Amino acid sequence: AYRYTISLPGSHAQGMFWYHPHPHGISEPQVLGGLSGAMIVEGLLQNNYPHLADITERVMLLKDIDTEALGLPSTSPCYPPDISGAGAKAKTVNGLCNPTIAIAPQEIQFWRIANIGADAYFNLQLSGIRMFVIAVDGNATDRPIRVENYLLPPGAPVEMLVIVCPPGAYPVHSLVFDAAPAGSPHPA
């Protein structure tokens, strides 16, 4: 075990950030194997939206996991329907497949979302949920920005306010994203 202590200046940006190992040539397999996480520097709501400082906060870490390297089966619901076999990567939220998030009608929640994976792109769409971006990569916006979907490439964090109107169940989708020519298509 080893404990890191990091001193941040008072002027450091507030918000969600991510970390992962940096050994040359093996960072990607280590992140695909699970070695990444989030760091939160507190104060974003308190300093930018003090009237919302006490609302429910959710941290959601999106990740692609190389299940083959971990010896897990490629038959789980974590896989997009058109991906299977060698090299398949499970898609998870906080290490879970298809989790449920509770939110009351008309409630405003503060969601901190980060793609802490190595290769996947998540083009998030929250059907029936209003989304307002308030910070990107530790940089607060001047005002909440309404979005219909939000693209999170590897290593990207976003912080947003979300509101659900009528009661019900609302799916969270990752829309198709084609990273070509630099990458490959990422299915829904």
Side-chain angles (χ1 to χ4, degrees), residues 104-129:
Q106 300 300 325
E107 177 185 6
I108 300 172
Q109 288 191 358
F110 176 36
W111 287 11
R112 297 178 186 261
I113 306 170
N115 179 353
I116 63 166
D119 296 327
Y121 286 72
F122 293 91
N123 191 5
L124 296 182
Q125 180 185 58
L126 310 176
S127 301
I129 300 174

Side-chain angles (χ1 to χ4, degrees), residues 1 5 13 24 55 71 76 79 81-82 91 93-94 99 117 121-122 131 135-136 147 153 167 174-175:
T5 301
H24 181 69
I55 65 175
S76 97
Y79 290 101
D82 57 348
K91 307 295 191 275
V93 179
N94 296 343
Y121 286 72
F122 293 91
M131 303 184 301
V136 176
V147 295
S174 181
L175 305 174

Side-chain angles (χ1 to χ4, degrees), residues 56-132:
T56 299
E57 177 181 324
R58 308 272 184 197
V59 175
M60 289 172 251
L61 305 177
L62 311 179
K63 184 175 264 200
D64 53 332
I65 305 258
D66 185 347
T67 55
E68 181 180 308
L70 297 175
L72 302 173
S74 62
T75 56
S76 97
C78 294
Y79 290 101
D82 57 348
I83 290 183
S84 63
K89 294 177 180 71
K91 307 295 191 275
T92 63
V93 179
N94 296 343
L96 303 172
C97 299
N98 302 318
T100 299
I101 301 161
I103 183 170
Q106 300 300 325
E107 177 185 6
I108 300 172
Q109 288 191 358
F110 176 36
W111 287 11
R112 297 178 186 261
I113 306 170
N115 179 353
I116 63 166
D119 296 327
Y121 286 72
F122 293 91
N123 191 5
L124 296 182
Q125 180 185 58
L126 310 176
S127 301
I129 300 174
R130 291 182 288 170
M131 303 184 301
F132 299 87

